[in-house]
Amino acid sequence: MTVDDTTSGAGAEPPSEPSVHPTPHHEVDHTAEPTDDPLAIRLEQLILGADRRYTPFQAARTAGVSMDLASRFWRAMGFADIGQARALTEADVLALRRLAGLVEAGLLSEPMAIQVARSTGQTTARLAEWQIDSFLEGLTEPPEPGMTRTEVTYPLVELLLPELEEFLVYVWRRQLAAATGRVVQAADDEEMVDRRLAVGFADLVGFTRLTRRLEEEELGELVEAFETTSADLVAAHGGRLIKTLGDEVLFAADDAGTAAEIALRLIEAMTQDETMPALRVGIAFGTVTTRMGDVFGTTVNLASRLTSIAPKDAVLVDGAFAEELTRTGDAPASEARAAEEAAAAEKERRDGTEPSLPKYRYGLQPMWQRPVRGLGVVEPWLLARRGTS
């Protein structure tokens, strides 16, 4: 990609250049200069592996990228405006070259490259914040009296950085392999974006009241325990955790049976923990639009509404989900039908033949039809393990 005519000179930076964003939004004001704190600079050099060398204008010019495109890339990655401070490194130049090169080679369109920058920036920003808040915060407590946190931080980061970096790449490759596998198994190109999935919300009941009653540390521990348990159960049983919202988690699964198992396991796990409030789950099945790891559409909205009306420690599902469970043989079409099949199997057993009784995993109980805001009238079904009420 060639540089714009306005950036082709070798002289000073023109004041009319668009603002750029090479430092995280949450750390620096839009007009702030990068920090000059000595320890912060040393840590930055350690983590980035290079010294500050370029202004944003110089970095764009060196990368062969227009200032406008560089600004859009940096903004998408979540970096705040630093004006024309000399704060960028060779790594920033290389990142611009790579993104622009993917566009120039036709591997990505420019809007797609912006999306790549945005999704990567948002995901890694949250990861970095979590690591600092929950991981490094505890480890950097001074091990000996008289030592300051700053005296501990640099050697600790120096030791952890290569290990965490390799682990991050490993997990990313694993997740990429799993996501790619799901895509290539899609029936057609349209299904890769608009897919039929089971989508579920799990919501802690009475969380707002808890926030007023519990201390901040207790509340944080409860939320962490809920999110950890939910994430482990969703992953272990073949679902995907889409996001956590403190007192609520959103998950998805490729089939209704997987989603049903996850939902019931969540209820069972929470009821066995006396420290946890009650849980309610709502699941819907249908077409879902996926964007940047999130899910959207009427199916998602319906799952959310079902969650809000679900009884405590119970799972409500929509009609499409109930039909899918029946179609796959995971649940009977009705309890009357299941009773008839059981009676027929018992007769076969008395006649000395091997009974062919279906092994249903789940039961479905129709509930009263009710209006749901924005979605009309729906008929929810109460999901339970077979043989339970």
Side-chain angles (χ1 to χ4, degrees), residues 41-121:
I41 292 176
R42 287 181 62 215
L43 284 169
E44 178 188 281
Q45 291 171 342
L46 171 65
I47 294 170
L48 299 180
D51 297 332
R52 297 175 177 182
R53 180 176 177 184
Y54 301 101
T55 67
F57 174 73
Q58 291 168 339
R61 183 177 58 188
T62 304
V65 177
S66 73
M67 192 64 198
D68 176 67
L69 183 60
S71 179
R72 281 185 285 149
F73 279 148
W74 280 320
R75 188 178 299 116
M77 285 184 276
F79 298 150
D81 179 19
I82 60 164
Q84 289 300 327
R86 191 180 299 275
L88 304 186
T89 71
E90 290 290 349
D92 296 295
V93 172
L94 181 59
L96 286 178
R97 281 178 182 160
R98 282 175 170 161
L99 277 174
L102 291 172
V103 175
E104 191 174 73
L107 295 173
L108 294 177
S109 65
E110 192 170 299
M112 181 58 69
I114 297 293
Q115 283 192 17
V116 168
R118 179 169 291 111
S119 62
T120 306

Side-chain angles (χ1 to χ4, degrees), residues 201-207 226 245-249 266-267 277-282 304 307-308 313:
F201 283 91
D203 176 56
L204 291 175
V205 179
F207 185 77
F226 171 57
L245 304 168
D247 62 332
E248 188 174 59
V249 297
L266 285 171
I267 295 289
L279 187 71
R280 55 190 176 191
V281 182
S304 178
T307 305
S308 66
D313 295 327

